[in-house]
């Protein structure tokens, strides 16, 4: 355990993020809760305004509030708008001053910029006090313009430490010229505590139960419906498999696929997904669950978690599947390979290739009990060894100690 983990060495820690959303939001929330449990004083700030596809989850706020962690909502920690950024910095400076913050943990480049501005405001008014900033890069957005990418690199070059959640996730930064020696890798971890079971009468579980009664094989995706997560690929693969003469192609043991899509749908991609589902006549084979709290609790009710993503930072749903002994099928992008290996801890298919996904789905449905159990046991062992919240928290506390020492 780090020497900063006890009450005697307690820190005042400020976490600043765009939003508490999805898997990254789960990691940030759990890290704050763990640090608070270890005796540190934690405060947080996130963006106040929601945008289509971008919003904090209320249940994360509730969890933090229950443990006495205050979350300020400022505008803007998300938009690249200098007027709004400066306004947020003025408010953040007051929080830093009042909470006597020792270290700032930012979770994206624009929050880091606002933090740098806030510290400058404080130091103009008072005797200078060094407040280090650590930024975790949870993923490198594929929609950045060249100018935005340059700005983000300049911001990160101004910080005390930059953390990537995996070596694979750091590669886009390195490709753009960021000094690899300035990047630390701290892999995300999740709580080892069992998730609270879901009531059996919730609609999604009723839909799953009906599918099982028909003999269907139940698969799910977890994450906002979007281009990066690429759920359309799985939708098309399900349509192809369910319409094909499966007995001729795969043998009579191939069941029908029932697909549960968990995640926000309030986007152009989500609306197009719903229309495509109808066009493919898959209404009885697909259930859109939307955004639901504690999606981990549903993993024990499905046969296979599928991640068809084109890019990831560190996909939390896979770690939750390892913990809950749920089989995974992933695109063979580097970020997935770094977790599941070469079909050792889960199954892989060629990135964005629908035919290969179909074949992989077919293979998953006919795995023997022994083959499946070997994969699941190895995956659970890897979770316990590598992806626990305690290990992640210790690694961050050690990093905090290092940057505070200068």
């Amino acid at each position: 355990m780090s020497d900063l983990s006890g009450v005697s060495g307690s820190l005042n820690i400020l976490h600043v993020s765009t939003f508490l959303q999805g898997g990254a939001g789960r990691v940030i929330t759990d890290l704050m809760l763990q640090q608070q449990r270890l005796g540190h004083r934690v405060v947080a700030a996130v963006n106040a305004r929601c945008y289509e596809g971008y919003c904090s989850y209320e249940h994360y706020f509730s969890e933090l509030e229950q443990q006495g962690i205050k979350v300020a909502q400022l505008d803007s920690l998300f938009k690249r708008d200098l007027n709004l950024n400066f306004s947020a910095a003025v408010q953040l400076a007051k929080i830093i001053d009042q909470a006597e913050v020792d270290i700032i943990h930012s979770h994206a480049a624009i929050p880091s910029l606002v933090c740098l501005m806030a510290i400058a405001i404080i130091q103009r008014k008072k005797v200078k006090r060094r407040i280090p900033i650590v930024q975790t890069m949870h993923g490198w957005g594929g929609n950045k313009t060249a100018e935005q990418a340059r700005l983000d690199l300049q911001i990160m070059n101004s910080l005390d430490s930059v953390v990537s959640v995996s070596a694979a996730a750091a590669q886009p930064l390195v490709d753009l010229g960021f000094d690899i020696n300035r990047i630390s890798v701290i892999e995300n971890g999740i709580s080892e505590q069992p998730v609270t079971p879901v009531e059996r009468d919730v609609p999604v579980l009723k839909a799953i139960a009906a599918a099982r009664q028909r003999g269907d094989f139940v698969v799910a995706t977890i994450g906002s419906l979007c281009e990066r997560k690429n759920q359309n690929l799985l939708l098309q693969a399900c349509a192809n498999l369910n319409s094909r003469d499966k007995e001729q192609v795969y043998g009579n043991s191939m069941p029908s696929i029932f697909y549960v899509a968990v995640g926000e749908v309030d986007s152009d991609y989500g609306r197009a997904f719903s229309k495509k589902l109808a066009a493919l006549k898959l209404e009885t084979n697909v259930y859109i669950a939307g955004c639901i709290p504690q999606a981990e609790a549903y993993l024990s009710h499905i046969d296979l978690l599928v991640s068809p993503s084109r890019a990831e930072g560190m996909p939390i749903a896979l770690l939750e599947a390892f913990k809950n002994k749920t089989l995974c099928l992933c695109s063979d992008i580097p970020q997935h390979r770094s977790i599941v290996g070469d079909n050792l801890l889960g199954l892989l298919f060629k990135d964005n290739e629908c035919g290969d996904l179909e074949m992989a789905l077919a293979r998953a449905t006919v795995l023997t009990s022994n083959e499946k159990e070997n994969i699941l046991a190895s995956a659970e062992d890897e979770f316990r060894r590598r992806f626990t919240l305690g290990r992640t928290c210790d690694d961050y506390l050690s990093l905090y100690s290092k940057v505070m020492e200068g």
Side-chain angles (χ1 to χ4, degrees):
M1 189 71 74
S2 165
D3 61 353
L4 293 177
S5 60
V7 176
S8 61
S10 63
L11 294 173
N12 295 333
I13 305 168
L14 169 64
H15 285 267
V16 187
S17 180
T18 50
F19 302 98
L20 296 178
Q21 180 178 26
R26 178 75 273 161
V27 168
I28 298 165
T29 299
D30 283 350
L31 181 60
M32 287 193 279
L33 292 170
Q34 179 75 351
Q35 289 174 342
Q36 183 97 334
R37 281 192 290 268
L38 291 173
H40 305 288
R41 183 179 175 224
V42 179
V43 291
V46 300
N47 200 67
R49 193 180 308 182
C50 293
Y51 299 89
E52 187 172 274
Y54 298 95
C55 201
S56 291
Y57 293 174
E58 286 298 326
H59 58 275
Y60 291 157
F61 288 148
S62 297
E63 291 176 38
L64 294 168
E65 184 180 359
Q66 287 170 12
Q67 298 305 315
I69 297 176
K70 295 180 179 179
V71 182
Q73 297 187 50
L74 312 179
D75 199 12
S76 176
L77 296 170
F78 176 65
K79 298 288 283 185
R80 297 170 185 269
D81 182 316
L82 188 57
N83 287 333
L84 291 176
N85 298 150
F86 188 78
S87 175
V90 171
Q91 297 174 71
L92 195 63
K94 294 177 183 177
I95 294 169
I96 294 169
D97 193 30
Q98 291 170 359
E100 299 182 337
V101 168
D102 297 306
I103 189 160
I104 297 172
H105 190 156
S106 169
H107 296 275
I110 296 305
S112 292
L113 173 64
V114 174
C115 291
L116 288 167
M117 295 165 69
I119 290 172
I121 291 168
I122 292 170
Q123 292 180 342
R124 287 279 296 171
K125 293 181 177 179
K126 297 191 173 186
V127 176
K128 289 191 176 183
R129 179 169 69 88
R130 181 173 172 269
I131 305 172
I133 303 174
V134 170
Q135 181 188 314
T136 297
M137 190 191 75
H138 294 273
W140 184 257
N143 296 325
K144 295 180 197 286
T145 65
E147 183 179 353
Q148 289 170 342
R150 282 194 297 271
L151 174 61
D152 288 358
L153 289 174
Q154 289 173 342
I155 293 167
M156 288 186 283
N157 265 316
S158 304
L159 307 178
D160 296 88
S161 185
V162 173
V163 176
S164 176
V165 293
S166 71
Q171 194 58 47
L173 283 185
V174 177
D175 292 342
L176 288 168
F178 196 83
D179 184 358
I180 192 170
N181 296 313
R182 297 201 64 236
I183 303 173
S184 300
V185 174
I186 298 179
E187 293 180 318
N188 288 333
I190 60 173
S191 172
E192 295 181 78
Q193 295 299 314
V195 68
T196 304
V198 184
E199 295 292 333
R200 291 276 178 174
D201 61 349
V202 299
V204 61
L205 289 191
K206 287 183 177 179
I208 290 172
R212 288 202 181 284
Q213 209 164 28
R214 296 192 299 266
D216 291 354
F217 186 80
V218 181
V219 308
T221 55
I222 296 178
S224 302
L225 274 70
C226 61
E227 292 281 354
R228 181 176 62 83
K229 292 288 188 180
N230 201 25
Q231 291 95 339
N232 270 337
L233 188 75
L234 179 57
L235 191 66
Q236 187 63 57
C238 290
N240 294 348
L241 285 171
N242 287 341
S243 63
R244 188 170 289 166
D245 185 345
K246 292 187 287 291
E247 288 190 18
Q248 183 178 346
V249 180
Y250 301 109
N252 57 16
S253 58
M254 173 72 192
S256 292
I257 303 291
F258 185 76
Y259 170 21
V260 180
V262 178
E264 296 97 330
V265 296
D266 60 336
S267 64
D268 289 342
Y269 187 95
R271 287 183 282 274
F273 180 91
S274 298
K275 289 180 181 177
K276 182 172 183 177
L277 184 161
L280 292 171
K281 297 182 170 55
L282 286 177
E283 291 95 333
T284 59
N285 300 98
V286 179
Y287 183 90
I288 300 178
C291 182
I292 51 180
Q294 294 290 2
E296 179 188 346
Y298 296 83
L299 288 169
S300 61
H301 298 274
I302 66 172
D303 297 303
L304 182 71
L305 176 71
V306 184
S307 182
S309 298
R310 306 300 316 281
E312 285 284 353
M314 168 67 79
I316 299 305
L318 294 189
L319 310 188
E320 293 172 340
F322 283 12
K323 169 185 167 183
N324 290 277
K325 299 191 76 169
T326 301
L327 189 66
C328 301
L329 170 60
C330 312
S331 56
D332 64 351
I333 59 174
Q335 295 89 338
H336 284 153
R337 281 191 176 277
S338 71
I339 298 175
V340 306
D342 293 326
N343 294 308
L344 297 175
L345 308 179
L347 306 177
L348 293 168
F349 70 93
K350 293 178 183 176
D351 177 31
N352 206 37
E353 291 198 10
C354 193
D356 204 55
L357 175 54
E358 291 172 39
M359 293 295 294
L361 284 167
R363 288 197 304 272
T365 66
V366 295
L367 281 177
T368 67
S369 296
N370 190 51
E371 288 171 328
K372 184 177 177 181
E373 186 53 41
N374 286 339
I375 294 172
L376 296 180
S378 297
E380 186 184 23
D381 287 345
E382 187 73 348
F383 159 66
R384 304 281 174 200
R385 183 186 73 83
R386 184 177 162 195
F387 298 119
T388 62
L389 175 61
R391 181 207 51 76
T392 299
C393 187
D394 281 354
D395 287 351
Y396 274 119
L397 290 172
S398 295
L399 179 63
Y400 294 171
S401 178
K402 180 179 177 181
V403 299
M404 288 178 70
E405 289 169 1

